[in-house]
Amino acid sequence: MLTALETGIKGGKWFSLIDKVYTMPNLQSAFRKVKANAGAAGVDQQTIEMFEQQEAANLMNLTERLREGKYRPAAVKRVMIPKMGSQELRPLGIPTVRDRVVQTALRNVLEPIFERTFAAHSYGFRPKRGAKDALRRVDQLLNAGKRWVVDADLRSFFDTIPHEKLLERVEEQIADGRVLELVNAFLQQGVMGETVIMLSEAGTPQGAVISPLLANIYLNPLDHLMVRRGFEMVRYADDFVILCGTKGEAEEALREVAQWTQTNGLMLHPGKTQIVDAAEKGGFDFLGFHFERGHRWPRKKSLRKLKETIRGATRRNNGQSLARIIERVNRTLRGWFEYFKHSNRWTFPPLDSWIRMRLRSILRRREGRRGRGRGADHQRWRNAYFDTHGLFNLEAAHKRERQSLTR
């Protein structure tokens, strides 16, 4: 298969792939990935630990059922979880462990085939690519004078992809009927609510390992349309921007995208799709950042999510020691900073100050006083006090990062 990827295949289509999917080494590799990603049990109540106890037998069973064409995916378990920073709930789909293994094995086979067809400006859910690469490209284009930005939003993209058109895209490369049947089975597997299974008429399966790959396959023609038209798109899954040199060019790009999405059964969100001048006040959001007038910083939603997490770890009635609280806070801050460390320098001092206020409020409460940590509390527990207790300092970390870049 690797040789064929390098040299090409007769007719440009793959006719025999199912035997690659159900090989034991592929299924073993797939289970290792599923185990590493953790996750809860699906509708069959089988956990990863339970699957692993009978791993050899379970994988052999999958091999046989896939070989004989008898494999059928179970429904996806739907649970509602709170939205970060909101009272609303959002649905989370949990496939069974065995379905996650088969989907991963299927992705292992399909991904290298379609990778060769994907455009360079597609960064989401692809090997050796990520959000930071996409953000770096946006910076490059802005610095090159591409200040007019089509900030596009596909409404409910993952829930609205038409199955028939999606399968047609898969069939452009794959002619193995049993692999196509397997892909279709996952699209049709349905979702288990509290008591009823709801069949999927459109969209990729909730929580499915293979959904991001299918999404990239579906949007691949749009990517190449933008390339042919000479537009500079940067896309991460369904989140994309198009950076242009003039307003007229941006308007033309938006018309092209709107026409393509309508033809392909998708819809641009009218309230969230806009053309902005990144050199003026207002800017645009992309992958957690806000870009405006040559600067970037975490968008409001990113800051809300961080603060919501920190609040959960620093409630005034927290009974843990200060060392344990700071340890938990630090885990959050280090991960957040690693992603947002290239924000403008003024991003970090207010956050440091707010976090220390949360900790002073805990200390104040433990002395039997009410209210937030303020006033004389800044003298009682100076900033250096938290430094000596190992609190991760965002401003100091940012200064170190900048110094390392200038060496």
Side-chain angles (χ1 to χ4, degrees):
M1 184 175 176
L2 290 172
T3 302
L5 284 170
E6 293 298 327
T7 61
I9 52 173
K10 199 171 184 179
K13 287 193 176 186
W14 293 80
F15 286 86
S16 180
L17 284 176
I18 191 66
D19 59 316
K20 317 293 190 299
V21 175
Y22 62 65
T23 60
M24 186 56 68
N26 188 29
L27 290 172
Q28 289 170 335
S29 171
F31 176 67
R32 287 195 297 269
K33 291 177 182 178
V34 170
K35 181 181 176 182
N37 289 331
V43 293
D44 62 356
Q45 303 299 314
Q46 185 181 48
T47 64
I48 291 174
E49 292 74 20
M50 293 164 62
F51 189 98
E52 188 175 26
Q53 289 172 3
Q54 302 291 327
E55 179 183 347
N58 284 328
L59 295 182
M60 182 58 68
N61 178 262
L62 289 178
T63 293
E64 292 173 355
R65 295 184 73 81
L66 287 165
R67 181 190 295 117
E68 296 168 1
K70 296 180 179 179
Y71 176 83
R72 297 291 182 274
V76 173
K77 179 181 179 181
R78 187 180 69 179
V79 296
M80 305 301 291
I81 62 173
K83 282 187 177 181
M84 184 71 75
S86 170
Q87 298 298 317
E88 297 179 23
L89 298 176
R90 67 177 181 88
L92 176 68
I94 306 175
T96 63
V97 175
R98 69 170 200 143
D99 286 345
R100 302 203 299 264
V101 171
V102 174
Q103 285 180 20
T104 304
L106 180 60
R107 187 189 66 187
N108 287 347
V109 172
L110 295 183
E111 187 174 70
I113 294 172
F114 285 95
E115 261 298 308
R116 299 174 67 82
T117 73
F118 290 156
H121 65 246
S122 167
Y123 294 91
F125 305 102
R126 294 183 59 190
K128 299 179 181 179
R129 286 169 167 257
K132 289 186 178 181
D133 300 305
L135 292 166
R136 193 175 299 114
R137 180 58 179 160
V138 169
D139 277 334
Q140 290 171 351
L141 292 168
L142 288 171
N143 292 335
K146 303 285 188 179
R147 57 184 277 188
W148 289 95
V149 181
V150 178
D151 182 12
D153 184 276
L154 291 171
R155 176 180 274 175
S156 303
F157 169 68
F158 283 93
D159 295 330
T160 57
I161 299 176
H163 288 172
E164 185 176 349
K165 286 183 178 290
L166 174 56
L167 286 170
E168 288 174 1
R169 304 273 156 85
V170 177
E171 289 173 8
E172 290 174 5
Q173 298 289 323
I174 309 300
D176 186 324
R178 290 170 66 184
V179 168
L180 294 171
E181 287 175 7
L182 188 57
V183 172
N184 189 51
F186 282 120
L187 292 175
Q188 302 290 339
Q189 69 187 117
V191 178
M192 172 70 81
E194 292 185 2
T195 56
V196 181
I197 294 180
M198 295 163 284
L199 296 179
S200 304
E201 297 181 358
T204 56
Q206 286 188 30
V209 176
I210 201 170
S211 285
L213 174 61
L214 295 177
N216 277 333
I217 291 171
Y218 198 73
L219 289 177
N220 195 36
L222 174 61
D223 291 339
H224 288 285
L225 173 64
M226 293 295 101
V227 172
R228 290 195 303 274
R229 296 291 190 267
F231 297 124
E232 294 285 4
M233 173 189 270
V234 180
R235 183 173 71 80
Y236 190 96
D238 61 326
D239 194 1
F240 64 88
V241 289
I242 305 170
L243 294 94
C244 305
T246 67
K247 185 177 182 181
E249 184 185 349
E251 290 170 342
E252 182 184 352
L254 180 54
R255 283 194 296 270
E256 292 274 6
V257 171
Q259 182 177 345
W260 187 92
T261 52
Q262 185 176 18
T263 303
N264 286 270
L266 303 175
M267 182 181 296
L268 290 172
H269 196 299
K272 296 181 179 179
T273 299
Q274 57 182 339
I275 293 175
V276 301
D277 183 353
E280 299 293 334
K281 186 176 180 180
F284 65 98
D285 293 340
F286 185 59
L287 297 182
F289 280 90
H290 181 76
F291 292 82
E292 183 179 322
R293 292 176 287 184
H295 301 284
R296 67 164 158 162
W297 57 86
R299 67 173 184 164
K300 292 179 180 178
K301 188 175 181 180
S302 301
L303 290 173
R304 282 200 304 270
K305 284 184 177 181
L306 172 67
K307 287 190 172 185
E308 186 71 18
T309 303
I310 296 296
R311 283 191 185 97
T314 58
R315 302 194 187 284
R316 294 177 203 174
N317 59 357
N318 193 313
Q320 294 182 324
S321 68
L322 183 63
R324 289 294 300 275
I325 295 171
I326 288 177
E327 180 183 355
R328 183 179 171 187
V329 168
N330 282 351
R331 283 198 298 270
T332 298
L333 292 179
R334 287 194 176 98
W336 188 87
F337 179 77
E338 181 58 30
Y339 188 77
F340 289 102
K341 61 186 177 183
H342 296 302
S343 299
N344 273 84
R345 58 184 174 81
W346 60 68
T347 300
F348 305 104
L351 283 172
D352 283 329
S353 178
W354 180 80
I355 292 164
R356 288 191 293 262
M357 179 276 292
R358 298 285 304 179
L359 295 174
R360 288 186 180 107
S361 299
I362 293 173
L363 297 173
R364 180 185 177 92
R365 172 72 176 266
R366 290 178 180 179
E367 290 189 348
R369 295 182 293 145
R370 295 183 178 181
R372 296 188 306 170
R374 56 180 178 239
D377 295 330
H378 288 263
Q379 303 302 318
R380 186 187 301 266
W381 300 292
R382 294 177 178 270
N383 293 354
Y385 173 83
F386 298 104
D387 291 338
T388 59
H389 281 73
L391 178 65
F392 185 81
N393 187 300
L394 293 167
E395 182 181 11
H398 184 251
K399 287 179 179 178
R400 290 193 298 272
E401 178 65 24
R402 288 178 63 87
Q403 288 170 357
S404 69
L405 291 175
T406 56
R407 285 172 187 162

